[in-house]
Amino acid sequence: MAPREVLTAAIAIYKDSVPRSIVAEAAGGVEVARRVAAGEPVDVVVLSSDAIDKLIEGSQLLAASRIDLMNSQIAVAVPTGAPHPSIADEAALKAAVSAASSVSYSTGPSGRYLETLFDRWGILDSLRARIVVPPPGVPVGRLLASAEVELLGVPGIDVLGPLPSKIQLVTTFTGALTPACRSPRAAGDLLSFLASARLDALKQRHGMTGAH
């Protein structure tokens, strides 16, 4: 779900200059990977790079079409009006997470990484009762906006900033075509546009950077 807003805006820009009909659907990464692996008809797939690579290994996507689109760091946010804890270093972040009455994070690569980090800190077991897991296909930021969580690992209402550099994780989102793609040239053109430097400013506005 992380690149959904970027992709929605980017496709709108693309359609203004290229008279093609594009039908886009967003869903949670695990669900998208499951549907593609099951053979659901689709032309272009955008997922985290590790998920794309697994689908390429299973011959559900074309390796030659693989292209990195954008990079996403883990950021920390709180609801508007809530206190802003320090996240200046690893110790400060650990204290902020430990003190939060509720915590939420993506179920994708960043969430798996955070669980490993919390486990290394020795606080995962004590956090479990306070973790709010987003339903499939629901961005974590939506939970933040509804005040269901106080601290999370994606951009939200008041973004405090990225994780300290020593413990940061960058997730790359990648696109690829399926073997059954009906218009490989047109689909490849779309992916090239999504990866282009032309969209760098758009990606930055959504907390991401270009992967070119």
Side-chain angles (χ1 to χ4, degrees):
M1 300 303 293
R4 183 179 67 172
E5 299 301 325
V6 174
L7 292 175
T8 299
I11 289 171
I13 295 170
Y14 183 76
K15 290 170 69 174
D16 283 342
S17 58
V18 179
R20 291 194 180 112
S21 175
I22 301 172
V23 178
E25 179 183 349
V30 173
E31 174 67 9
V32 171
R34 183 194 65 77
R35 289 162 61 179
V36 173
E40 182 170 325
V42 65
D43 297 313
V44 179
V45 179
V46 176
L47 287 168
S48 62
S49 58
D50 60 337
I52 289 288
D53 290 340
K54 288 179 181 177
L55 289 169
I56 289 174
E57 290 174 6
S59 300
Q60 283 95 18
L61 296 176
L62 299 174
S65 69
R66 185 192 186 283
I67 184 169
D68 292 334
L69 306 180
M70 63 195 85
N71 295 322
S72 176
Q73 292 187 329
I74 299 175
V76 181
V78 297
T80 297
H84 288 194
S86 171
I87 58 167
D89 53 30
E90 184 172 356
L93 178 63
K94 177 182 177 181
V97 172
S98 299
S101 62
S102 54
V103 180
S104 189
Y105 42 80
S106 166
T107 55
S110 59
R112 294 193 295 271
Y113 169 76
L114 288 174
E115 286 203 351
T116 299
L117 180 65
F118 297 160
D119 186 49
R120 178 169 68 79
W121 286 348
I123 64 173
L124 181 59
D125 288 342
S126 64
L127 278 179
R128 290 195 188 279
R130 291 177 277 153
I131 293 174
V132 180
V133 179
V138 176
V140 180
R142 189 177 301 170
L143 298 183
L144 179 69
S146 64
E148 291 184 37
V149 296
E150 288 189 0
L151 186 67
L152 63 157
V154 297
I157 303 303
D158 285 354
V159 179
L160 305 184
L163 295 191
S165 58
K166 290 184 178 180
I167 55 172
Q168 181 58 267
L169 174 76
V170 176
T171 298
T172 298
F173 289 96
T174 301
L177 309 185
T178 66
C181 179
R182 293 163 293 181
S183 302
R185 182 172 298 180
D189 183 64
L190 172 63
L191 281 180
S192 295
F193 174 78
L194 295 176
S196 70
R198 178 181 174 184
L199 297 179
D200 282 358
L202 172 66
K203 293 170 185 176
Q204 289 169 6
R205 287 198 297 272
H206 290 272
M208 300 195 180
T209 59
H212 46 80

